[in-house]
Amino acid sequence: MATIDLIVLGMLKKEPMSAYDIQKLVEYRNISKWVKISTPSIYKKAIQLEEKGLIKGEIVKEGKMPEKSVYSLTEAGEAEFERLMFEIASKPISIFLDFNAVIVNLDSLPIEKQKECIEEIENNVKTLKAYLEENIAEKENKPNIPATGIAVLRQQFVLVEAIEAWINSLKVD
């Protein structure tokens, strides 16, 4: 998947690191909250990108720790990173929200069950909003957090507020 390629290549563009370090950075930056990426996919992707010659791994051993591969971009990887940046940036934007499958089928439930489903979605949106508020407050004044990372968190927050307003409009009808 091009998105995972771009995430991995982008991280390695900044500095060489192991698949484990990439995975930890994905967790720390909460990237999996807005991009479908899993821990196993990061490890598989590192192997695939190395096989394609886009990254190269160097085995390193630190102290008593086991050996690990530390990856860095190749020249071909640099070119692929730029190509993916423009390819993905130029695609039409689509927003997939899994709960819309529930919304389009609400009228197949009795009114009380419809309200319960909407309440479940609303509770999950509130949980996400609280998480984003906490994350933004924690990270927005830290100098080591890129402004682009904060921008994505704020984007997600705006989307959550729009979904809240939309859910409120469903309740009125």
Side-chain angles (χ1 to χ4, degrees):
M1 171 181 262
T3 308
I4 297 172
D5 291 8
L6 184 57
I7 289 169
V8 172
L9 293 172
M11 288 182 177
L12 294 176
K13 183 159 176 58
K14 290 185 171 99
E15 67 180 289
M17 60 179 78
S18 68
Y20 175 79
D21 293 331
I22 294 169
Q23 181 256 323
K24 285 297 173 197
L25 197 52
V26 164
E27 280 179 22
Y28 177 72
R29 291 185 179 167
N30 301 302
I31 292 170
S32 60
K33 292 269 186 201
W34 53 80
V35 174
K36 289 191 182 218
I37 187 170
S38 66
T39 298
S41 67
I42 293 168
Y43 286 88
K44 286 181 199 169
K45 190 50 67 181
I47 292 166
Q48 289 172 354
L49 292 173
E50 186 174 29
E51 287 171 353
K52 290 179 180 178
L54 301 175
I55 63 175
K56 64 179 177 186
E58 182 182 318
I59 303 295
V60 293
K61 182 159 175 52
E62 297 171 355
K64 295 182 179 183
M65 299 298 290
E67 291 181 340
K68 64 180 178 180
S69 285
V70 173
Y71 298 99
S72 58
L73 281 186
T74 62
E75 211 172 289
E78 293 266 353
E80 180 66 0
F81 169 76
E82 283 191 24
R83 188 191 73 72
L84 286 172
M85 286 290 287
F86 285 95
E87 176 186 300
I88 292 171
S90 63
K91 284 184 179 179
I93 294 172
S94 53
I95 299 172
F96 298 105
L97 304 169
D98 292 340
F99 65 81
N100 278 335
V102 172
I103 301 301
V104 298
N105 288 300
L106 275 176
D107 59 356
S108 298
L109 290 174
I111 293 291
E112 283 309 307
K113 296 283 184 186
Q114 290 179 28
K115 288 179 183 176
E116 286 178 42
C117 281
I118 292 171
E119 240 176 72
E120 289 291 331
I121 293 168
E122 184 176 31
N123 290 337
N124 286 321
V125 169
K126 284 179 183 173
T127 300
L128 177 57
K129 184 177 184 181
Y131 163 81
L132 288 167
E133 286 173 329
E134 181 182 312
N135 211 343
I136 291 168
E138 175 189 326
K139 294 179 178 170
E140 70 183 337
N141 294 318
K142 289 189 177 179
N144 64 329
I145 304 293
T148 52
I150 298 299
V152 170
L153 287 173
R154 287 191 179 126
Q155 172 205 65
Q156 296 295 303
F157 189 79
V158 168
L159 180 58
V160 163
E161 288 184 320
I163 292 170
E164 278 183 326
W166 173 72
I167 288 171
N168 287 332
S169 76
L170 288 176
K171 291 177 176 180
V172 173
D173 293 344

